[in-house]
C-alpha cells in the first residue's frame, strides 16, 4: 500500500517567518494530496489540497507544491501567526476513498 | 449543517467492558469512515462504508472491533471486550464519494480504557 513519510516531526518558527513541511509518497498512482490541520484537542480539517495535474497551488498565506517525478510534495506557510500553531498532516490518495496520512508535524509559532 | 456528530466525546471504561461509539454523518454524504488516532500510530483508517455497506474493513484491529451502519444517518463502532491498548481518539468522517472529495471529520471520542 501507499506509504507517506512526513518531515520534520516538530517545527518551531518565529512569528512572521515561513514554515515548510515536506512529504514523500511511494505509490506513483497517487494523484491527490490534501493537507489537514489539527489544532490541539480538535478535529483534523482540510486546509488545502493539490491534484497531480497541477504543480503548485496557493491560498493566501499557504501554498503546496508537488513534484511527481520525485514523488514529494510540500506545504509552505508564509508570515506565520500564532493561530498557525497546530499539527499538520499530509496525505496521499489515488483519487478514491482511501487517504494515507503522514505522521504529522507539530508547528509552534513563537511570539 | 451541524457537521459530523459523534458521541460520547469522552469515555472512560474498565478493561473488559463493552464500548459503543456513535456517529452521525453530514446529511447527503454517502461515505463514512472510522479512524483511530494515537501518538504511536498516527491516524489509521479502521473501516470505510459506502452507501451504508462496509467496503474496506482491513484496518479493523481484531475481532473485538465491529462497526455497523444501519442507515445513512447513523453508524456505530463497538469494542468488546475493551483493552487498555484501545485507548485512543476515535474519529468519524464523512464525504460524498467522488474523486478528490474532502473528508469532514467529527470532533472525535477520546476513549480511555483502565
Amino acid at each position: 500500500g501507499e506509504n507517506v513519510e512526513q518531515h520534520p516531526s516538530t517545527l518551531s518558527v518565529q512569528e512572521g517567518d515561513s514554515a515548510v513541511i515536506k512529504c514523500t509518497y511511494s505509490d506513483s498512482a497517487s494523484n491527490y494530496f490534501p493537507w489537514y490541520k489539527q489544532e490541539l484537542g480538535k478535529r483534523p480539517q482540510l486546509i488545502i489540497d493539490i491534484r497531480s495535474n497541477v504543480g503548485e497551488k496557493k491560498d493566501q498565506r499557504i501554498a503546496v507544491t508537488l513534484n511527481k517525478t520525485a514523488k514529494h510534495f510540500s506545504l509552505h506557510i508564509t508570515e506565520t501567526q500564532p493561530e498557525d500553531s497546530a499539527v499538520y498532516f499530509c496525505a496521499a490518495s489515488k483519487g478514491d476513498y482511501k487517504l494515507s496520512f503522514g505522521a504529522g508535524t507539530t508547528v509552534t509559532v513563537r511570539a | 449543517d451541524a457537521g459530523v456528530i459523534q458521541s460520547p466525546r469522552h469515555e472512560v471504561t474498565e478493561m473488559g467492558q463493552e464500548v459503543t461509539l456513535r456517529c452521525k454523518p453530514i446529511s447527503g454524504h454517502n461515505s463514512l469512515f472510522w479512524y483511530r488516532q494515537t501518538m504511536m500510530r498516527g491516524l489509521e483508517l479502521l473501516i470505510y462504508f459506502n452507501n451504508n455497506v462496509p467496503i474496506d474493513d482491513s484496518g479493523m484491529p481484531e475481532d473485538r472491533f465491529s462497526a455497523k451502519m444501519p442507515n445513512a444517518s447513523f453508524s456505530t463502532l463497538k469494542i468488546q471486550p475493551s483493552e487498555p491498548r484501545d485507548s485512543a481518539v476515535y474519529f468519524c468522517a464523512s464525504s460524498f464519494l467522488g474523486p478528490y472529495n474532502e473528508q469532514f471529520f467529527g470532533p472525535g471520542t477520546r476513549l480511555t480504557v483502565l
Side-chain angles (χ1 to χ4, degrees), chain A residues 36 38 43 46 89 95 97, chain B residues 37 48 56 99 102-103 105-106:
Chain A
Y36 283 78
Q38 186 178 24
R43 72 192 77 189
L46 180 73
F89 293 95
Y97 66 90
Chain B
Q37 185 176 39
Y48 158 62
D56 181 357
E102 176 181 357
Q103 292 185 21
F105 284 76

Side-chain angles (χ1 to χ4, degrees), chain A residues 8-30:
Chain A
S9 57
T10 61
L11 181 59
S12 179
V13 297
Q14 190 71 35
E15 183 176 357
D17 288 350
S18 295
V20 180
I21 303 169
K22 298 181 179 181
C23 290
T24 60
Y25 61 99
S26 60
D27 192 338
S28 56
S30 290

Side-chain angles (χ1 to χ4, degrees), chain A residues 27-71:
Chain A
D27 192 338
S28 56
S30 290
N31 56 11
Y32 175 58
F33 307 91
W35 287 86
Y36 283 78
K37 175 184 180 182
Q38 186 178 24
E39 297 178 1
L40 187 63
K42 302 290 182 63
R43 72 192 77 189
Q45 291 187 290
L46 180 73
I47 55 171
I48 196 167
D49 56 16
I50 192 168
R51 303 177 189 179
S52 61
N53 58 347
V54 175
E56 183 173 358
K57 183 176 179 181
K58 190 173 182 179
D59 182 3
Q60 299 182 341
R61 294 187 298 105
I62 59 174
V64 290
T65 58
L66 171 65
N67 183 325
K68 287 170 52 180
T69 302
K71 289 191 282 188

Side-chain angles (χ1 to χ4, degrees), chain A residues 4 40 43 80 100:
Chain A
V4 177
L40 187 63
R43 72 192 77 189
T80 53
S100 297

